[in-house]
Amino acid sequence: MMSQDDLKRAVAKAAIAHIPVDCIVGVGTGSTANYFIDELARIKHEIRGAVASSEASATRLKEHGIDVLSLNEAGSLPVYVDGADEITRHMHMIKGGGGALTREKIVAAASKKFICVCDSTKLVDVLGKFPLPIEVIPMARSFVARQLVALGGQPRLREGFTTDNGNVILDVLGLKIMNPVELESTLDHIAGVVTNGLFARRAADVLLLGTPEGVKTMTA
Ligand code: 5RP
């Protein structure tokens, strides 16, 4: 029987076919992205380098001898490959389980194509069972938490965690995410919120879904 890790490895491998020759690749964060980095190392002589969405991914890329460029140096990217905590058939996602949501959203926004790599447990009908991560400026933590309660959520501070940008994460349970595009904007308008983990305005373009029957390619 295939484990969840086997499925993650399979989608990471499948993503390599979507990488144009001689390009700079946008690279996500998390265990599936880590498998993708390992696969990317096999074709490192066919790419120019990578832009990482976290310090952790940058370190792993460098350990493999892959050049890591800043987004400012690289400019617009042809492709961004990353995992998700939940994804719908409309390609809307919750991300940020690993706390890298802000840089992930920036690199995704700067990329022409977002390829999401997930095992089949991540595909859901409605987003929100996974607590929605929200990166918050530390001084605004309590204020933002009260606003989230007013929206019907139950925010919990991610204890002992600081993001790569020096901020905190509130993980929010109980939000009914029937309209992810609208909620993404609503949350972004709370003062003190840096980024929320809804990736709906810039959804994935392609989902490579690891299932026990093989890797399925889906588009919205
Ligand atoms: C990190 C993320 C990851 O993509 C998400 O948490 C999925 O991780 P994994 O591949 O380990 O299941 O958004 O901030």
Side-chain angles (χ1 to χ4, degrees), residues 107-161:
V107 184
S111 300
K112 290 201 179 69
K113 200 182 206 184
F114 186 142
I115 297 176
C116 183
V117 281
C118 282
D119 67 82
S120 50
T121 62
K122 307 287 184 70
L123 186 63
V124 298
D125 289 327
V126 180
L127 298 172
K129 202 167 167 198
F130 190 92
L132 180 67
I134 304 190
E135 180 165 352
V136 176
I137 300 283
M139 71 161 284
R141 189 192 71 215
S142 301
F143 168 71
V144 172
R146 290 196 296 279
Q147 305 304 302
L148 294 168
V149 169
L151 287 171
Q154 299 144 31
R156 293 276 174 279
L157 178 67
R158 199 177 292 185
E159 294 286 349
F161 186 85

Side-chain angles (χ1 to χ4, degrees), residues 4 8 28-34 82-85 94-101 104 117 119 122 130 199:
Q4 202 176 355
K8 289 180 181 186
T29 298
S31 57
T32 319
N34 279 345
D82 198 0
D85 299 301
I94 285 183
K95 292 185 43 54
L101 61 163
E104 291 174 345
V117 281
D119 67 82
K122 307 287 184 70
F130 190 92
F199 283 55

Side-chain angles (χ1 to χ4, degrees), residues 187-198:
L187 294 172
D188 273 352
H189 284 103
I190 301 173
V193 167
V194 177
T195 307
N196 74 82
L198 281 171

